[in-house]
Amino acid sequence: MLKCTACGRGYSLRKPYQRCECGEPLELELFKSVPGIGRRVWERFSGFFPFDLKPELSLGEGDTPLTKAKKLSKELGVKLYLKNETTNPTWSFKDRGTYLGIHRALQLGFEKIGTVSTGNMAASVAAYGAYAGLETYILVSSTIAEEKLKALEVYGAKIIKVHGDYGELYYKSLEIGQKKGIYFINSDDPFRIEGYKSISFEIIEEITPDYVVIPTSSGGLFRGIVKGFLELKESGLIENLPRFVVVQAEGCSPICKAFNSGKDRIERFESPHTIAHAIENPYPPSGNAVLRRLRELDGLCVTVRDGEILEAQRALGREGLFVQPASATGVSAIRKLRERGVIKEGAKVVSILTGAGLKTLSHIEAPKVEECSLESLEECFRW
Ligand SMILES: *Cc1c(COP(=O)(O)O)cnc(C)c1O
Ligand SMILES: [Zn+2]
């Protein structure tokens, strides 16, 4: 049974319902189970997922590293763990959700799938659609960067550039999907959320965090991680929930704006602008659902500036990890929360590194390079 995250209305699982008539997103009820053994997270936590997950639809998503940040832990005075989602098949966590979404599309008998995306989700759905042999439609905004379009090309999906309001495109795609028999695995599809839970399961296998920091755009990732922890608690596998922190870019922060001013509904964020394009949704479809969860669970919402984001991207580079700007926001947020005294010294904090840096090279300056002739190479080592 699918249930509305706002009004609680139930919907049958036999039809492709994705949102409630009231406009809010749907979600599966909480799973309660016992983990087992297995090589993959999908096997170990199989009782927490809505289907038997098929290895033949998998590109190897999940089971990503959780590394302790050595320098940043010292600098920030916390135990900082980095959940490195850049090692997924298309270099972002989106693959976990797409894997589940593909199962859902096939379960309902669809032969066509699609998504609305500005980058990472497009690549993910294109890759999984190709592997499953499904006709795949990718709707992108007219402002998409050329480098992102190129990264899509190899998977052979049909790409449609749409001119118009990007926020509305989400709803329009669901309408068109119904007419044309295309299952749109969009950012907060209920089954995509189920896939994201696997991040929480993997974290808890290694540590019990005090804080989990989540870069947030549509709100799908946040909802998935929170649902995962709620299910762990329901199942008696953890005693306490961590404190959840939503991070947004200051230049596009509709959720934090509503949360920090005491509103219970988000409003469209006017003239969004940030370097962190992967989290630049001005009217997030799960925005209200995230707000409800933040209030219910005493979460936090933090905004960070582009300059701070770029600094954090460098700091993560010094930990050996190259992430995209959206994924560096967590470290900037932790720094702020430490300065404000919210996060106490020595707390165990997980930052989700959502996607890889190689995908977004255009904002990075060429490095300073030493020029040297082969004959005088030795003299060039004068550092
Ligand atoms: C999609 C994405 C996010 C935000 O996830 P939502 O589910 O839209 O909130 C954050 N970082 C990266 C790199 C992403 O691709
Ligand atoms: Zn509803």
Side-chain angles (χ1 to χ4, degrees):
M1 183 83 142
L2 285 159
K3 267 181 99 172
C4 175
T5 53
C7 71
R9 181 171 164 183
Y11 289 81
S12 161
L13 274 168
R14 282 196 300 271
K15 286 194 178 161
Y17 294 115
Q18 288 169 312
R19 297 189 80 85
C20 181
E21 274 179 20
C22 80
E24 289 295 292
L26 300 178
E27 195 162 288
L28 287 160
E29 286 169 293
L30 292 185
F31 286 79
K32 238 166 125 172
S33 187
V34 191
I37 43 173
R39 202 173 56 79
R40 319 255 340 254
V41 67
W42 314 114
E43 298 165 21
R44 297 191 296 284
F45 287 83
S46 56
F48 291 85
F49 297 111
F51 332 97
D52 277 334
L53 294 169
K54 298 188 174 119
E56 64 267 27
L57 295 174
S58 170
L59 288 167
E61 59 295 313
D63 290 302
T64 59
L66 184 72
T67 47
K68 174 113 191 260
K70 293 181 189 162
K71 297 189 187 77
L72 275 168
S73 285
K74 239 189 223 160
E75 195 185 315
L76 299 172
V78 294
K79 296 190 186 78
L80 176 62
Y81 296 86
L82 304 168
K83 187 64 173 155
N84 181 4
E85 291 297 304
T86 74
T87 68
N88 278 298
T90 71
W91 310 286
S92 87
F93 72 89
K94 296 287 195 308
D95 293 337
R96 297 177 186 263
T98 307
Y99 180 46
L100 271 281
I102 290 272
H103 281 80
R104 176 60 171 165
L106 290 171
Q107 181 192 47
L108 293 169
F110 283 87
E111 285 166 3
K112 298 175 194 166
I113 58 163
T115 199
V116 172
S117 170
T118 52
N120 288 328
M121 199 161 50
S124 182
V125 171
Y128 281 78
Y131 194 53
L134 299 170
E135 205 164 288
T136 306
Y137 295 85
I138 309 290
L139 308 184
V140 299
S141 79
S142 54
T143 56
I144 190 170
E146 192 69 14
E147 67 180 346
K148 291 199 177 142
L149 271 183
K150 280 186 183 164
L152 270 183
E153 204 274 331
V154 286
Y155 300 114
K158 294 184 171 56
I159 307 170
I160 306 170
K161 212 187 221 184
V162 187
H163 299 262
D165 185 312
Y166 182 73
E168 235 164 78
L169 182 53
Y170 171 102
Y171 297 96
K172 190 91 181 174
S173 72
L174 297 184
E175 240 174 69
I176 296 205
Q178 276 185 8
K179 282 192 202 143
K180 304 261 176 199
I182 305 167
Y183 189 80
F184 273 89
I185 314 172
N186 286 351
S187 55
D188 64 346
D189 173 89
F191 291 85
R192 179 172 281 289
I193 306 290
E194 291 299 307
Y196 296 162
K197 295 186 320 194
S198 55
I199 295 176
S200 314
F201 302 155
E202 291 170 25
I203 291 172
I204 224 67
E205 287 181 307
E206 298 197 53
I207 62 157
T208 47
D210 300 311
Y211 292 86
V212 179
V213 184
I214 307 162
T216 299
S217 186
S218 72
L221 176 63
F222 176 89
R223 285 179 49 208
I225 289 177
V226 170
K227 188 166 190 274
F229 275 98
L230 288 171
E231 294 183 356
L232 290 166
K233 187 153 185 256
E234 276 287 298
S235 306
L237 297 164
I238 53 170
E239 267 180 47
N240 302 307
L241 295 174
R243 206 155 178 212
F244 299 103
V245 183
V246 162
V247 195
Q248 299 207 284
E250 196 172 285
C252 184
S253 45
I255 299 176
C256 291
K257 195 173 169 197
F259 183 71
N260 295 322
S261 60
K263 298 219 171 80
D264 53 5
R265 289 190 78 81
I266 57 152
E267 282 163 23
R268 185 182 296 271
F269 198 91
E270 297 304 331
S271 341
H273 184 77
T274 170
I275 182 103
H277 297 299
I279 52 169
E280 200 176 11
N281 190 330
Y283 194 56
S286 274
N288 297 326
V290 171
L291 270 183
R292 286 189 289 275
R293 278 283 190 238
L294 280 177
R295 297 218 194 280
E296 174 192 333
L297 302 173
D298 189 27
L300 296 161
C301 208
V302 180
T303 62
V304 295
R305 291 166 201 257
D306 280 3
E308 296 167 329
I309 296 172
L310 291 174
E311 212 177 280
Q313 187 185 36
R314 290 287 163 104
L316 285 163
R318 292 190 289 274
E319 298 284 351
L321 299 170
F322 181 26
V323 304
Q324 54 190 262
S327 313
T329 55
V331 166
S332 318
I334 295 164
R335 193 184 295 278
K336 283 204 162 154
L337 292 172
R338 279 291 290 146
E339 283 165 8
R340 291 182 201 156
V342 178
I343 297 183
K344 298 282 176 280
E345 181 158 3
K348 279 182 281 180
V349 185
V350 176
S351 187
I352 313 290
L353 304 186
T354 48
L358 268 180
K359 288 202 174 193
T360 51
L361 287 174
S362 53
H363 72 279
I364 295 178
E365 287 170 32
K368 283 198 202 82
V369 189
E370 195 88 357
E371 302 271 352
C372 198
S373 72
L374 188 55
E375 291 73 29
S376 58
L377 183 55
E378 200 175 332
E379 286 113 76
C380 285
F381 287 85
R382 45 172 192 261
W383 285 283

